[in-house]
């Protein structure tokens, strides 16, 4: 421990970082400065007193506010309330400030006064945004009133007698924030800031899959063979489990090497089961066990994952019993990726659970920590070194150019060679910098990277944060804040594009398009741009959505950038700055600890629980959030245990996203929730006791995404949701007989997901009411026999359908009669009648789908013509 303390003190001496209060939490085996640094940045990044690019959100906030002021709706409201002059002055000041913000953000990391100025500016910009949000709320309320949806007493609010006090109040608030803004803006002259143009949207390559092919990996062939040799030479003669650790610094490619081994032909042929689990920082035994079970079942299900049950409600005894049953007595190959757990007792316990009586079971563990390797390994660890320069250059060129393109630009390749020397043999750094320069053929862009001042900062062996930060600084501002926001997720989180885009949208981080693109389309483009720049990785196409991950070191970068905005709170680092706006909680905090944290916070915009909590949230937590966080935009109340929401929920006028998933007690929502006119997404999945939606549910004029479990026979009320265009997900609605009734329609809906609705027989009437539907997924509806009344009703509504997934529908007899001309992906699983009718060439329905480019039947892709 003495040597470990010395390493930490040497590295953090210049930053006055006090390790005395955390050294007891440092695992054994940290005996070098690089390892000490990586461990600390992974666990205590939010507590570091080092220079950070703290105001990564500011340009986005300012841009959002300017856009709101310039909107037609706000212009009309400004006239109505007599504050147009103040709004015009506010817009002028913000536009002037916005023009120099990009220059300020780039210079802030070496100027403390500038960072302080930006912090003050950000604070007042948030206040401006809140005021304008209230104006927009009034505009939306007027819109609802004009449709005759609100009661008479609400109409009275807009009478001239009531409008005067509101007009005076709002006029005063706008003047107050405008004057504060003017005072701060006047100080910008002392920083000599230059007007900068916003960077253009990125040119990016489409990401196709995360499956690792040998030919796509440089310089790791010998490493793969040596790991395979360790596997082959370990004993197959008894029931013990052989464990081969792979140890190396972050970014060297430990996971990539493990994937090469995992997909090797010998491994595929030798083991009955192959299992991949990402463990990460927090070793939760039950979660690891469930992840192992799900990994096995996903392979059995053919990769769709649609039929996987939810095991989160199982206790520890039930989980280990299910694990033994799932493993059976067949030999397995298991990868435990990114292990940090140094508790030998926990490893012994997990190993005992994995002893299934089979001979020759093997485990590969990837870790940065030698002590983890010592505890788990049955053979000496395989130490992964940095890539040779020639291989690192190959990685860089692969990501900087399309294949063969580098031959046309020898001058750039020469500069690239110099850049790669700064990567210290770390492939992640080479890949990130190569991605940064993709499609850039001007020599000055490459020289900017090579000669950047960031390389002059003192670096230790294995330090790649400068390379990653340089890539971050070259992102357009709209991507900077979106990337930084991702730090509220835990490390190794598997992102779903739908979830992330909804969260970005709730915070106003997605710029509206002049081309009238939908927000989810713009958000998906953002994700693909970040994937193309290597800020995200491990892309997996799930057919109607996609998943991806963020490398640990990219997560460190996001945390470093956003530490004044976002924080992830766990039992190791339970304190939080009062300045943060976005907070997420680990699974290991009880409600008392969570309430303590909530009591210390004020201007929160996001409350998020990325894990299934060990303890559910009760009414005290709910009431604390409603009373303290008036401007909150995302509130995660999943796995709560209250019967209903209080009427005071309507006070959260800024709320965009409300998650009530897996509340087993909730039966209804108060009608006051229908006053949340900004609400974009409402989730009620797994709320098995939920009886019905409130009568005025159609007043949720901004609702774009609804997820629901309900006892209703039909989803009455949703037909008036004119903005419900992104997703409608219906799950375990056991009484549901009709999707829509009477004249109800969802003319803007693009994605419909129905699962486990046992009384649903036909969708013929509903399909007529969905003219823009693009994605349709129906799974595990045992009685469903028709999508179009067996041809009796023509269904013109499916003409835009692009993705159709049908699974576990034993009575479904045929595809709809209508023309599926836009369909380009069809998946059918466990639908015996439909499978027979869709056989290539001979099936009765083949003529309906012969043009479809991707057809999967029971996990097997139909060969193209």
């Amino acid at each position: 421990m003495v040597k470990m303390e010395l390493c930490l003190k040497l590295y953090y001496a210049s930053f006055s970082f006090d390790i005395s209060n955390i050294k007891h939490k440092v695992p054994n085996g940290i005996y070098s400065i690089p390892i000490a640094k990586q461990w600390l940045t992974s666990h205590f990044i939010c507590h570091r007193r080092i220079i950070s690019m703290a105001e990564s959100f500011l340009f986005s906030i300012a841009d959002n506010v300017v856009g709101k002021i310039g909107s037609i709706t706000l212009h009309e409201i400004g006239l109505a309330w007599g504050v147009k002059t103040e709004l015009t002055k506010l817009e002028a000041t913000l536009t002037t400030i916005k023009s120099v913000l990009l220059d300020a953000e780039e210079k802030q990391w070496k100027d403390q006064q500038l960072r302080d100025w930006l912090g003050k500016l950000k604070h007042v910009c948030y206040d401006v945004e809140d005021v304008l949000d209230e104006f927009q709320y009034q505009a939306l309320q007027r819109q609802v009133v004009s449709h005759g949806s609100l009661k008479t007493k609400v109409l009275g609010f807009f009478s001239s007698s009531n409008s005067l006090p509101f007009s005076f109040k709002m006029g005063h608030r706008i003047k107050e924030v405008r004057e504060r803004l003017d005072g701060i803006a006047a100080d910008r002259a002392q920083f000599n800031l230059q007007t900068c143009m916003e960077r253009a949207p990125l040119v990016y390559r489409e990401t196709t899959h995360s499956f690792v092919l040998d030919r796509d990996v440089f310089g790791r062939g010998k490493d793969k063979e040596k790991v395979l040799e360790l596997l082959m030479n370990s004993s197959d003669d008894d029931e013990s489990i052989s464990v081969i650790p792979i140890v190396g610094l972050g970014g060297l490619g430990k996971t990539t090497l493990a994937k090469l081994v995992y997909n090797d032909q010998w491994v595929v042929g030798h083991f009955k089961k192959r299992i991949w689990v990402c463990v990460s920082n927090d070793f939760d035994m039950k979660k690891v066990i469930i992840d192992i079970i799900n990994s096995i079942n996903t392979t059995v299900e053919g990769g769709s994952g649609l039929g996987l049950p939810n095991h989160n409600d199982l206790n520890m005894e039930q989980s280990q019993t299910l694990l033994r049953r799932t493993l059976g007595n067949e030999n397995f190959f298991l990868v435990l990726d990114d292990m940090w757990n140094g508790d030998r007792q926990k490893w012994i316990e997990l190993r005992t659970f994995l002893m299934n009586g089979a001979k020759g079971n093997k485990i590969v563990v990837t870790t940065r920590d030698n002590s983890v390797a010592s505890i788990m390994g049955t053979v000496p660890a395989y130490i992964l070194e940095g890539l040779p320069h020639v291989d690192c250059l190959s990685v860089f060129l692969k990501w900087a150019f399309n294949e063969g393109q580098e031959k046309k630009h020898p001058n750039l390749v020469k500069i690239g060679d110099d850049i790669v020397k700064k990567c210290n043999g770390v492939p992640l750094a080479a890949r990130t910098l190569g991605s940064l320069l993709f499609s850039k053929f001007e020599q000055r862009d490459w020289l900017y990277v090579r000669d950047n001042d960031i390389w002059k900062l003192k670096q230790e062996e294995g330090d790649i944060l400068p390379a990653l930060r340089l890539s971050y600084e070259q992102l357009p501002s709209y991507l900077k804040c979106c990337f930084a926001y991702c730090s509220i997720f835990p490390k190794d989180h598997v992102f779903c594009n739908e979830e992330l885009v909804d969260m970005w949208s709730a915070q106003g981080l997605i710029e509206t398009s002049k081309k009238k693109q939908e927000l989810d389309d713009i958000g998906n483009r953002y994700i693909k741009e970040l994937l193309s720049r290597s800020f995200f990785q491990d892309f997996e196409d799930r057919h109607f959505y996609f998943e991806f991950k963020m490398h640990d070191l990219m997560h460190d970068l996001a945390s470093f950038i956003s530490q004044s905005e976002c924080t992830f709170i766990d039992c190791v680092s339970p304190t939080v700055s009062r300045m943060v706006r976005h907070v997420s909680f680990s699974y290991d905090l009880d409600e008392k600890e969570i309430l303590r944290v909530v009591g210390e916070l004020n201007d929160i915009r996001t409350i998020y629980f990325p894990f299934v909590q060990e303890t559910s949230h009760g009414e005290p937590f709910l009431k604390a959030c409603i009373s303290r966080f008036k401007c909150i935009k995302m509130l995660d109340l999943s796995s709560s245990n209250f019967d209903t929401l209080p009427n005071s929920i309507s006070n959260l006028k800024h709320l965009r996203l409300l998650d009530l998933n897996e509340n087993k007690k909730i039966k209804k929502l108060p009608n006051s929730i229908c006053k949340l006119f900004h609400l974009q997404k409402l989730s009620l999945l797994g709320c098995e006791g939920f009886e019905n939606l409130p009568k005025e549910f159609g007043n949720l004029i901004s609702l774009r995404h609804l997820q629901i479990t309900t006892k209703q026979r039909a989803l009455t009320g949703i037909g008036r949701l004119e903005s419900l265009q992104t997703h409608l997900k219906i799950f375990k609605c056991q009484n549901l007989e009709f999707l829509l009734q009477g004249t109800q329609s969802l003319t803007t809906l693009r994605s419909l997901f129905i699962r486990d609705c046992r009384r649903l027989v036909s969708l013929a009437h509903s399909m007529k009411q969905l003219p823009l539907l693009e994605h349709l997924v129906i799974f595990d509806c045992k009685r469903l026999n028709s999508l179009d009344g067996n041809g009796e009703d023509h269904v013109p509504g499916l003409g835009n359908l692009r993705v159709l997934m049908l699974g576990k529908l034993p009575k479904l007899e045929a595809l709809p009669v209508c023309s599926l001309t836009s369909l380009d992906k069809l998946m059918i699983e466990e639908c015996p009648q439909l499978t027979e009718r869709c056989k290539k060439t001979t099936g009765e329905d083949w003529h309906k789908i012969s043009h479809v480019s991707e057809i999967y039947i029971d996990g097997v892709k139909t060969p193209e013509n």
Side-chain angles (χ1 to χ4, degrees):
M1 184 64 84
V2 173
K3 190 170 182 182
M4 180 276 293
E5 284 192 49
L6 179 62
C7 288
L8 301 185
K9 287 179 177 177
L10 282 173
Y11 182 73
Y12 281 98
S14 60
F15 303 125
S16 303
F17 186 89
D18 181 12
I19 68 161
S20 59
N21 63 329
I22 57 94
K23 64 184 181 184
H24 64 284
K25 299 169 183 170
V26 182
N28 296 325
I30 296 187
Y31 298 127
S32 69
I33 291 175
I35 290 288
K37 177 195 169 185
Q38 287 200 348
W39 188 86
L40 273 169
T41 55
S42 296
H43 289 73
F44 300 98
I45 192 128
C46 291
H47 300 286
R48 291 183 299 169
R49 300 171 188 170
I50 52 181
I51 295 170
S52 74
M53 294 170 286
E55 312 312 333
S56 55
F57 286 76
L58 183 50
F59 186 90
S60 177
I61 299 166
D63 193 49
N64 193 20
V65 170
V66 170
K68 284 182 178 180
I69 296 175
S71 70
I72 295 174
T73 301
L74 207 65
H75 178 76
E76 292 174 350
I77 288 291
L79 285 172
W81 298 121
V83 292
K84 185 175 183 298
T85 301
E86 286 296 333
L87 285 174
T88 301
K89 291 179 181 177
L90 187 62
E91 182 179 23
T93 303
L94 274 169
T95 301
T96 301
I97 290 175
K98 181 186 161 189
S99 67
V100 299
L101 276 184
L102 294 176
D103 188 41
E105 288 183 357
E106 289 189 6
K107 292 176 178 177
Q108 64 170 309
W109 64 275
K110 52 186 176 182
D111 188 331
Q112 179 65 51
Q113 283 188 312
L114 180 56
R115 287 198 302 280
D116 292 343
W117 179 75
L118 288 172
K120 295 174 184 177
L121 186 59
K122 182 183 69 174
H123 186 74
V124 74
C125 280
Y126 268 122
D127 289 346
V128 172
E129 186 180 42
D130 293 341
V131 173
L132 297 183
D133 239 16
E134 290 192 38
F135 268 98
Q136 282 196 321
Y137 179 89
Q138 298 302 325
L140 291 170
Q141 188 170 19
R142 277 189 162 195
Q143 194 174 334
V144 172
V145 169
S146 69
H147 283 76
S149 302
L150 286 185
K151 294 181 180 178
T152 306
K153 65 180 181 180
V154 179
L155 290 168
F157 175 82
F158 292 100
S159 66
S160 56
S161 59
N162 281 328
S163 65
L164 287 174
F166 179 81
S167 175
F168 179 79
K169 173 187 171 185
M170 296 308 293
H172 178 77
R173 287 188 62 189
I174 288 179
K175 183 179 180 181
E176 186 267 331
V177 294
R178 196 260 305 163
E179 288 178 345
R180 283 170 54 204
L181 185 65
D182 285 347
I184 296 170
D187 293 335
R188 70 184 182 278
Q190 63 183 293
F191 302 112
N192 193 30
L193 300 174
Q194 306 299 312
T195 300
C196 290
M197 295 292 292
E198 167 68 314
R199 291 186 176 89
L202 301 180
V203 177
Y204 65 91
R205 291 178 279 199
E206 285 285 350
T207 304
T208 54
H209 57 76
S210 66
F211 186 80
V212 177
L213 298 172
D214 284 26
R215 66 172 181 267
D216 292 332
V217 180
F218 300 95
R220 294 303 185 201
K222 290 182 179 178
D223 297 299
K224 174 190 167 184
E225 295 305 319
K226 288 179 180 177
V227 174
L228 284 171
E229 186 178 324
L230 289 171
L231 283 172
M232 294 175 184
N233 290 340
S234 56
S235 174
D236 282 345
D237 297 332
D238 56 37
E239 296 177 9
S240 63
I241 301 175
S242 300
V243 182
I244 294 90
I246 301 173
V247 179
L249 294 174
L252 284 182
K254 298 183 296 295
T255 300
T256 299
L257 175 57
K259 285 182 179 179
L260 289 175
V261 174
Y262 182 85
N263 293 317
D264 182 78
Q265 289 185 353
W266 180 81
V267 171
V268 173
H270 187 76
F271 298 95
K272 299 295 184 181
K273 289 184 171 70
R274 291 182 306 139
I275 310 161
W276 186 288
V277 172
C278 187
V279 183
S280 196
N281 294 354
D282 299 312
F283 187 91
D284 175 23
M285 183 68 73
K286 179 183 163 186
K287 181 178 183 299
V288 171
I289 288 173
I290 290 174
D291 286 346
I292 291 172
I293 294 167
N294 286 339
S295 178
I296 296 171
N297 289 338
T298 300
T299 304
V300 173
E301 290 283 339
S304 72
L306 278 177
L308 293 181
N310 183 353
H311 299 305
N312 291 319
D313 292 335
L314 300 180
N315 61 33
M316 192 61 201
E317 181 65 28
Q318 293 168 328
S319 298
Q320 62 157 308
T321 301
L322 180 59
L323 173 64
R324 292 182 185 276
R325 188 165 68 242
T326 306
L327 285 172
N329 60 358
E330 297 177 320
N331 71 334
F332 64 79
F333 175 73
L334 167 63
V335 174
L336 294 174
D337 187 36
D338 197 19
M339 279 288 291
W340 285 93
N341 173 57
D343 187 333
R344 184 170 180 270
Q345 196 58 43
K346 285 186 177 180
W347 161 237
I348 292 173
E349 186 180 0
L350 177 61
R351 185 180 62 191
T352 302
F353 294 152
L354 293 170
M355 301 284 283
N356 66 340
K359 295 181 179 180
N361 292 330
K362 317 281 187 185
I363 298 177
V364 165
V365 175
T366 70
T367 181
R368 299 188 208 175
D369 192 341
N370 279 305
S371 66
V372 172
S374 300
I375 290 169
M376 299 181 67
T378 58
V379 299
Y382 184 76
I383 308 300
L384 190 63
E385 305 291 349
L387 280 180
H389 177 75
V390 64
D391 293 314
C392 211
L393 179 61
S394 295
V395 172
F396 174 84
L397 295 177
K398 174 182 170 61
W399 288 92
F401 296 102
N402 286 321
E403 188 173 356
Q405 200 176 39
E406 70 276 8
K407 297 175 183 177
K408 301 177 182 178
H409 303 280
N411 60 321
L412 300 183
V413 172
K414 188 176 184 304
I415 300 170
D417 188 79
D418 293 335
I419 293 172
V420 170
K421 290 174 184 174
K422 302 174 186 293
C423 295
N424 298 321
V426 180
L428 177 62
R431 171 178 169 166
T432 304
L433 292 175
S435 301
L436 166 64
L437 292 167
F438 177 70
S439 80
K440 294 184 178 179
F441 303 109
E442 295 290 336
Q443 187 166 298
R444 66 173 178 270
D445 293 325
W446 290 60
L447 291 173
Y448 175 84
V449 172
R450 189 192 70 182
D451 302 331
N452 197 277
D453 286 346
I454 206 165
W455 302 115
K456 297 176 183 177
L457 297 176
K458 182 181 178 182
Q459 295 181 66
E460 304 292 344
E461 178 189 355
D463 184 4
I464 71 166
L465 274 179
L468 305 187
R469 198 169 86 177
L470 180 57
S471 295
Y472 167 82
E473 288 182 349
Q474 296 304 299
L475 288 176
S477 62
Y478 62 86
L479 289 183
K480 285 182 177 179
C481 54
C482 288
F483 170 72
Y485 185 78
C486 293
S487 65
I488 71 166
F489 295 91
K491 285 192 172 183
D492 291 310
H493 180 77
V494 178
F495 291 89
C496 168
N497 65 308
E498 293 177 5
E499 176 191 38
L500 185 57
V501 169
D502 286 337
M503 291 173 71
W504 282 346
S505 177
Q507 302 303 327
L509 302 182
I510 299 179
E511 296 180 343
T512 54
S513 170
K514 295 178 181 178
K515 299 178 181 178
K516 296 186 177 180
Q517 283 181 291
E518 301 296 342
L519 285 177
D520 52 318
D521 291 334
I522 301 171
N524 285 331
R525 193 192 81 224
Y526 286 8
I527 292 173
K528 290 175 181 177
E529 289 180 6
L530 288 167
L531 275 162
S532 75
R533 288 288 185 97
S534 299
F535 288 90
F536 295 145
Q537 62 183 38
D538 295 348
F539 176 90
E540 292 286 352
D541 186 356
R542 301 300 185 192
H543 304 293
F544 62 100
Y545 67 98
F546 57 88
E547 295 176 339
F548 50 96
K549 293 176 72 175
M550 179 187 284
H551 193 282
D552 276 6
L553 295 181
M554 284 296 186
H555 191 282
D556 288 344
L557 176 65
S559 299
F560 174 62
I561 291 161
S562 65
Q563 57 188 279
S564 68
E565 284 281 332
C566 309
T567 191
F568 176 72
I569 301 172
D570 58 20
C571 63
V572 178
S573 51
T575 58
V576 58
S577 165
R578 294 177 182 271
M579 299 300 293
V580 300
R581 309 274 175 159
H582 310 284
V583 177
S584 62
F585 296 90
S586 177
Y587 68 90
D588 54 7
L589 295 174
D590 60 31
E591 184 160 21
K592 183 178 179 180
E593 292 173 303
I594 293 171
L595 282 172
R596 179 190 59 77
V597 172
V598 166
E600 296 174 356
L601 301 172
N602 290 303
D603 297 323
I604 292 298
R605 264 57 176 177
T606 300
I607 292 283
Y608 178 52
F609 293 89
F611 298 104
V612 175
Q613 296 300 108
E614 293 180 352
T615 56
S616 57
H617 322 309
E619 290 186 12
F621 172 74
L622 172 60
K623 290 178 179 178
C625 290
I626 293 175
S627 64
R628 294 188 66 85
F629 308 139
K630 299 299 184 184
C631 297
I632 194 168
K633 295 187 176 183
M634 173 183 170
L635 178 57
D636 183 353
L637 298 172
S638 57
S639 301
S640 300
N641 61 359
F642 41 78
D643 296 325
T644 187
L645 292 170
N647 286 325
S648 57
I649 191 70
S650 62
N651 294 337
L652 303 183
K653 295 181 180 181
H654 303 262
L655 195 63
R656 264 76 169 176
L657 196 161
L658 178 60
D659 188 342
L660 296 164
N661 288 344
E662 302 299 331
N663 183 329
K664 307 301 181 184
K665 293 178 65 177
I666 194 166
K667 296 180 179 179
K668 61 180 180 179
L669 297 173
N671 209 47
S672 63
I673 199 173
C674 303
K675 296 179 182 178
L676 297 179
F677 302 127
H678 276 306
L679 194 66
Q680 298 174 358
K681 179 180 180 179
L682 175 64
S683 294
L684 290 156
L685 291 181
C687 300
E688 296 167 1
F690 189 72
E691 295 174 353
N692 57 272
L693 294 167
K695 291 181 180 180
E696 297 180 14
F697 193 70
N699 290 347
L700 295 177
I701 195 169
S702 300
L703 196 68
R704 302 170 53 247
H705 188 163
L706 174 64
Q707 303 183 146
I708 188 168
T709 298
T710 178
K711 293 183 176 181
Q712 292 173 261
R713 291 179 63 239
L715 298 181
T716 53
I718 69 169
R720 291 192 291 114
L721 294 172
E722 297 178 2
S723 294
L724 190 63
Q725 56 193 24
T726 307
H727 301 287
L728 173 59
K729 295 184 179 180
I730 304 164
F731 179 56
K732 281 192 175 181
C733 297
Q734 306 296 13
N735 297 327
L736 192 72
E737 297 177 15
F738 315 98
L739 183 59
L740 298 170
Q741 277 187 320
T743 59
Q744 288 191 110
S745 65
L746 293 171
T747 55
T748 59
L749 187 66
R750 299 169 63 193
S751 181
L752 174 62
F753 183 105
I754 304 173
R755 178 177 173 182
D756 196 7
C757 297
R758 61 189 178 196
R759 292 192 181 182
L760 192 63
V761 176
S762 174
L763 289 173
H765 173 74
S766 301
M767 291 299 101
K768 294 179 182 179
Q769 316 302 324
L770 304 169
L772 297 183
L773 197 67
E774 295 178 5
H775 301 86
L776 176 60
V777 179
I778 309 174
F779 204 85
D780 204 13
C781 298
K782 304 298 185 186
R783 297 179 62 187
L784 185 70
N785 59 35
S786 171
L787 299 179
D788 64 349
N790 294 321
E792 298 171 10
D793 297 313
H794 183 57
V795 186
L798 298 181
N800 289 302
L801 199 66
R802 295 192 295 108
V803 176
L804 176 60
M805 299 180 67
L806 306 168
K808 293 188 177 181
L809 308 173
K811 293 191 176 182
L812 186 62
E813 299 173 357
L815 292 173
V817 174
C818 70
S819 176
L820 299 171
T821 53
S822 300
L823 195 67
D824 54 39
K825 186 175 291 186
L826 171 66
M827 292 186 68
I828 300 171
E829 295 181 10
E830 297 184 49
C831 305
Q833 297 185 67
L834 198 57
T835 296
E836 190 67 26
R837 293 180 65 97
C838 291
K839 283 186 175 179
K840 186 173 182 179
T841 308
T842 60
E844 294 179 61
D845 281 352
W846 177 251
H847 67 282
K848 301 177 184 177
I849 59 172
S850 59
H851 64 284
V852 178
S853 57
E854 290 185 66
I855 301 174
Y856 299 85
I857 297 180
D858 291 327
V860 179
K861 186 175 183 180
T862 301
E864 297 181 12
N865 294 327

